[in-house]
């Protein structure tokens, strides 16, 4: 669970200005899973080409041990690109949008309806992950 990070506490956690690329989990959440009573907020981050071998939600998921309605993930001002496979989605259905997110494919994070969320944007509008003027490596959007 959680190819890069598994959040499992009962205190609010925040991840900002981060890139999650090429992570793989044997279970839920190729990049991040929030489990038990975790309350996670993600801002200004990029999720690219993450996956799962046997689970669901290629990028972000609420884990199987989550207390019903207690574990939450909210994502704002972030980019989700190339995580979903044909039989899965990038984000668990309980992952919510805080607005201003960009998704490249239609099945990346279904159901997001935050302020100024953009769905199915052209992959040409999002560059490859790389050195775009700061740390960490990011995906650059043209102005």
């Amino acid at each position: 669970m959680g190819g890069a990070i598994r959040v499992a506490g009962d205190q609010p956690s925040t991840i900002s200005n981060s890139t999650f690329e090429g992570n793989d989990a044997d279970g839920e959440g190729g990049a991040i899973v929030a489990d038990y009573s975790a309350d996670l907020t993600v801002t200004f981050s990029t999720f690219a080409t993450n996956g799962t071998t046997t689970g669901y939600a290629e990028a972000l998921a609420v884990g199987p041990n989550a207390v019903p309605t207690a574990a939450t993930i909210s994502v704002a001002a972030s980019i989700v690109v190339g995580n979903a496979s044909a039989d899965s989605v990038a984000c668990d259905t309980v992952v919510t949008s805080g607005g201003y997110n960009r998704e490249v494919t239609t099945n990346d994070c279904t159901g997001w309806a935050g302020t100024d969320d953009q769905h199915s944007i052209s992959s040409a509008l999002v560059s490859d992950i790389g050195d775009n003027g700061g740390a960490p490596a990011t995906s650059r959007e043209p102005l």
Side-chain angles (χ1 to χ4, degrees), residues 107-124:
N107 63 341
D108 268 350
C109 294
T110 58
W112 278 9
T115 302
D116 199 32
D117 280 348
Q118 293 183 7
H119 308 279
S120 302
I121 64 172
S122 169
S123 59

Side-chain angles (χ1 to χ4, degrees), residues 3-143:
I5 296 175
R6 178 177 180 232
V7 179
D10 60 0
Q11 298 296 313
S13 301
T14 302
I15 297 172
S16 294
N17 304 315
S18 299
T19 298
F20 296 89
E21 180 185 22
N23 296 289
D24 191 42
D26 184 18
E28 295 77 16
I32 298 174
V33 69
D35 218 352
Y36 297 98
S37 296
D39 178 12
L40 176 63
T41 301
V42 179
T43 58
F44 303 105
S45 295
T46 300
F47 295 87
T49 62
N50 297 290
T52 61
T53 53
T54 60
Y56 62 92
E58 309 292 328
L60 298 152
V62 171
N65 302 309
V67 176
T69 70
T72 61
I73 302 175
S74 177
V75 180
S78 294
I79 299 169
V80 179
V81 56
N83 298 284
S85 64
D87 60 348
S88 186
V89 295
C91 299
D92 195 344
T93 56
V94 295
V95 176
T96 60
S97 171
Y100 308 99
N101 293 300
R102 307 292 179 260
E103 303 173 86
V104 172
T105 60
T106 56
N107 63 341
D108 268 350
C109 294
T110 58
W112 278 9
T115 302
D116 199 32
D117 280 348
Q118 293 183 7
H119 308 279
S120 302
I121 64 172
S122 169
S123 59
L125 295 177
V126 181
S127 68
D128 291 334
I129 303 295
D131 182 0
N132 292 299
T138 58
S139 179
R140 177 180 52 85
E141 292 185 71
L143 300 175

